[in-house]
């Protein structure tokens, strides 16, 4: 049966996935925090050479990207495990996925830095302040609004960096208002979770689950097919 995109249903399904697979998600999240935290400690506290530190930071960012894509793949597998079993190899991102994601990340980050520096050269003033706020909101909006859907296309459809952006725009445009509401809810959850480190440990995985479910729901809302994610969960 065809199901249009629904924010409340997306929240409900994401919460159901988290509860049903809490142990698996908790273990993966804990492993990620240990790896990232340990690597960050070594890089910023034990490496005294600037070159080694820079190399370490680059490798850490690549590692974080790899783990993030792995988590996205894990959520897809947990959603689809009603139909088939999966093993560890099924949640390991392919090299193409990692390269596409990093290329997109570098392009967006470079654009953000360029726009931010361009504002600084304009000096102080009301216009400059407005432009600065606008750029900040644009960066936040893209990274939290479109970027996660791009990542889902990269993982689920093995799309390239530019292809994933075009696909994301086409996917969201028919449900912009509803997805924007979901975006505001995610922003609120991140804000509340950022008050404590323990809160972020819970919020980060749940937000990513929510975005993967939203992606699947949006895909089904554009297709005249059974909404399997709703029917099985």
């Amino acid at each position: 049966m065809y199901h249009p995109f629904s924010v409340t249903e997306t929240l409900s399904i994401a919460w159901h996935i988290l509860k049903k697979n809490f142990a698996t998600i908790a273990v993966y999240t804990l492993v990620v925090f240990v790896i990232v935290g340990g690597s960050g400690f070594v890089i910023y506290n034990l490496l005294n050479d600037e070159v080694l530190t820079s190399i370490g930071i680059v490798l850490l960012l690549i590692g974080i990207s790899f783990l993030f894509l792995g988590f996205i793949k894990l959520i897809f597998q947990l959603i689809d495990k009603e139909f088939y079993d999966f093993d560890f190899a099924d949640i390991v991102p392919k090299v193409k996925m990692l390269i596409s994601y990093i290329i997109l990340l570098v392009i967006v980050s470079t654009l953000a830095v360029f726009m931010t520096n361009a504002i600084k050269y304009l000096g102080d003033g009301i216009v400059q302040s407005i432009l600065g706020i606008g750029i900040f909101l644009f960066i936040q909006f893209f990274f939290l609004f479109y970027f996660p859907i791009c990542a889902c296309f990269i993982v689920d459809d093995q799309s390239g960096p530019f292809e994933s952006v075009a696909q994301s725009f086409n996917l969201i445009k028919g449900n912009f208002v509803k997805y924007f509401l979901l975006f505001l809810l995610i922003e609120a959850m991140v804000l509340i979770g950022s008050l404590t480190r323990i809160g972020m440990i819970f919020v980060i995985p749940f937000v990513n689950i929510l975005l993967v479910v939203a992606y699947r729901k949006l895909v089904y809302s554009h297709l005249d097919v059974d909404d399997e994610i709703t029917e099985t969960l």
Side-chain angles (χ1 to χ4, degrees), residues 41-58:
F41 177 82
V42 171
I43 292 170
Y44 291 104
N45 294 281
L46 301 182
L47 296 181
N48 297 321
D49 185 82
E50 292 185 3
V51 175
L52 290 178
T53 300
S54 299
I55 294 174
I57 292 173
V58 172

Side-chain angles (χ1 to χ4, degrees), residues 120-186:
K120 292 181 180 179
Y121 282 111
L122 295 176
D124 298 327
I126 297 178
V127 176
Q128 290 79 8
S129 298
I130 294 174
L131 287 174
I133 294 173
I135 289 174
F136 173 78
L137 292 176
F138 168 78
I139 294 171
Q140 291 289 314
F141 187 78
F142 186 88
F143 268 109
L144 292 177
F145 196 77
Y146 281 105
F147 205 76
I149 298 298
C150 294
C152 288
F153 272 113
I154 289 173
V155 171
D156 193 41
D157 203 37
Q158 298 191 42
S159 302
F162 302 106
E163 182 185 9
S164 67
V165 173
Q167 289 173 316
S168 298
F169 274 96
N170 290 331
L171 189 66
I172 293 173
K173 67 180 182 181
N175 293 279
F176 183 86
V177 174
K178 292 180 181 179
Y179 189 70
F180 183 71
L181 175 59
L182 184 64
F183 165 76
L184 294 178
L185 290 173
I186 290 174

Side-chain angles (χ1 to χ4, degrees), residues 54-103:
S54 299
I55 294 174
I57 292 173
V58 172
L59 293 176
L60 178 59
L61 292 175
I62 293 174
I64 291 173
S65 299
F66 182 85
L67 293 170
F68 171 68
L69 294 177
F71 186 77
I72 298 297
K73 288 202 71 175
L74 173 63
I75 301 307
F76 278 127
Q77 296 297 333
L78 292 176
I79 291 173
D80 296 335
K81 74 176 184 179
E82 300 288 342
F83 307 102
Y84 56 84
D85 295 326
F86 68 94
D87 53 31
F88 179 77
D90 294 319
I91 67 171
V92 177
K94 296 181 179 179
V95 175
K96 178 185 176 182
M97 297 176 185
L98 182 61
I99 292 174
S100 295
Y101 180 80
I102 290 176
I103 289 174

